[in-house]
Amino acid sequence: MNKLVVIAGTNASGKSGLGIELAGKYDAEIVSADSRQVFTGLDLGSGKVTPEEMKGIPHYLIDVVNPNDFFSLSHYQKMAYEAIDDIHSRGKKAFVVGGTGLYVNSIVDGYNLNDAEPDFAIRKEVEEKTIDELIEIIKGTNPLALEKLDLNNKRRLERAAEKVLTGKYNENPSTPKYDTLVIGVTWPREVLYERIRERLDRRLDQGMIEEVENLRKNGASDDFLFRLGLEYRYILMYLRGEFKDFDAFYNKLFMEIRHLAKEQMTWFRKRSDIHWIDMTKDPFNEASILIEEFYNK
């Protein structure tokens, strides 16, 4: 199998910058694993790296679908496989970099997915269910499916429940497609939280609220923005006057981003094959040692 390096981590962990520096060293190209960066126009809110920050390193699976369009895990996996295989066919190394655990796992573990078209009547039905109700639907028909789901991610639970109810959820054994090295980046919790605050402040200063205003003006539906969660959900609520003031909005958003970072870390900790590196020390050198051992074995 071709070799694949994965660099995973939470929001504001520095994984994107580290991935770019390492890709430059190893003549690699990067496939993003981020469920919001696939959408065009979601730049500041999703934390997309800018062309300048890419430093000439080609990036894939960024800006590949329009707001409001249906984009499933199966769509992501298919496009990621195509990008990775194309990179390898040209004699380059491929890195996957991102923080969406389900996207990472679909590539590393090789999920066998059923690319079912949505049934909008059933979709409307499941969207009205609570998280607990969705879990019960899935558990009653396909309890093993819960092992692959983030039980706090309502959108993913809705899609799984939809497939269960339409009989299109296939629980086939995973088949890894690549020989994979998974590197996880980590910070002490309080340091990470301060990085999250600094990044939030910077993106608000750069116009993140205006980004959401423009998305709405250009046709992105409120339902689409709300379902994206985090920045897009709470900025939408702020624009609709659902917070008493800016401070209430800011504090809620900051709290929710911290909560997501904790959930992301919990998700990645489930993997026993992740090599964790300490970002407070010399992550570039530490990761380089792991990568060279991996390519030379």
Side-chain angles (χ1 to χ4, degrees):
M1 292 187 288
N2 284 321
K3 293 181 182 290
L4 178 70
V5 172
V6 176
I7 301 171
T10 67
N11 281 336
S13 62
K15 61 185 176 296
S16 297
L18 178 62
I20 289 167
E21 293 298 324
L22 291 166
K25 178 176 180 178
Y26 292 102
D27 194 24
E29 299 181 0
I30 290 175
V31 177
S32 169
D34 188 290
S35 61
R36 299 188 300 171
Q37 293 184 7
V38 296
F39 291 100
T40 60
L42 276 63
D43 301 330
L44 291 171
S46 71
K48 283 179 192 170
V49 290
T50 65
E52 293 75 23
E53 290 169 336
M54 291 179 185
K55 297 182 178 179
I57 304 297
H59 281 62
Y60 304 89
L61 273 291
I62 293 176
D63 294 334
V64 295
V65 63
N66 293 320
N68 302 333
D69 286 351
F70 176 68
F71 190 82
S72 68
L73 176 64
S74 181
H75 290 141
Y76 171 79
Q77 186 195 54
K78 179 177 183 294
M79 295 178 74
Y81 279 167
E82 290 173 352
I84 293 165
D85 291 345
D86 175 65
I87 293 167
H88 286 149
S89 74
R90 291 183 281 105
K92 300 278 189 175
K93 294 179 174 64
F95 286 7
V96 169
V97 180
T100 299
L102 202 58
Y103 279 16
V104 169
N105 287 5
S106 74
I107 301 303
V108 175
D109 297 331
Y111 288 175
N112 284 308
L113 299 170
N114 182 345
D115 188 14
E117 289 300 313
D119 182 318
F120 290 103
I122 291 180
R123 173 163 298 182
K124 185 175 186 302
E125 175 186 338
V126 299
E127 286 175 351
E128 295 172 354
K129 303 290 186 183
T130 66
I131 284 180
D132 289 340
E133 288 172 333
L134 293 169
I135 290 172
E136 287 303 313
I137 289 171
I138 300 165
K139 186 186 297 183
T141 305
N142 198 331
L144 291 178
L146 292 174
E147 296 178 7
K148 292 182 178 180
L149 294 170
D150 177 355
L151 301 186
N152 293 304
N153 188 324
K154 190 170 186 291
R155 189 177 185 184
R156 296 296 177 195
L157 290 170
E158 287 170 355
R159 296 298 168 261
E162 178 184 326
K163 290 185 178 182
V164 164
L165 291 172
T166 55
K168 296 176 180 176
Y169 200 117
N170 292 339
E171 190 58 40
N172 297 322
S174 296
T175 309
K177 185 176 170 67
Y178 310 104
D179 181 12
T180 310
L181 167 69
V182 186
I183 297 173
V185 302
T186 183
W187 295 85
R189 181 174 297 179
E190 292 308 314
V191 176
L192 177 62
Y193 288 171
E194 184 56 32
R195 288 176 59 87
I196 288 172
R197 183 183 292 280
E198 289 173 356
R199 190 172 83 153
L200 175 58
D201 291 346
R202 182 169 63 253
R203 292 191 294 171
L204 286 168
D205 289 341
Q206 290 172 338
M208 189 161 58
I209 292 174
E210 291 77 10
E211 176 174 286
V212 177
E213 288 178 321
N214 288 331
L215 284 164
R216 296 177 84 195
K217 289 176 183 176
N218 291 324
S221 71
D222 284 4
D223 181 65
F224 167 76
L225 293 168
F226 188 85
R227 289 183 173 281
L228 290 171
L230 289 183
E231 294 87 352
Y232 294 101
R233 173 177 298 177
Y234 292 106
I235 291 174
L236 172 67
M237 293 170 65
Y238 174 69
L239 292 173
R240 295 196 304 202
E242 297 177 29
F243 290 98
K244 66 178 183 179
D245 55 29
F246 179 84
D247 288 344
F249 150 73
Y250 179 93
N251 291 334
K252 177 64 174 176
L253 177 55
F254 176 55
M255 181 183 71
E256 291 298 329
I257 298 174
R258 290 195 315 175
H259 181 63
L260 175 67
K262 183 178 179 181
E263 286 182 350
Q264 287 175 311
M265 186 57 71
T266 299
W267 176 273
F268 287 125
R269 291 287 187 194
K270 295 176 184 177
R271 298 200 65 95
S272 60
D273 59 342
I274 292 187
H275 299 263
W276 291 100
I277 60 175
D278 186 347
M279 294 291 282
T280 66
K281 295 181 180 177
D282 187 356
F284 181 81
N285 184 58
E286 190 175 350
S288 295
I289 291 171
L290 290 169
I291 291 170
E292 286 167 18
E293 289 176 350
F294 174 62
Y295 282 129
N296 292 329
K297 74 176 181 180

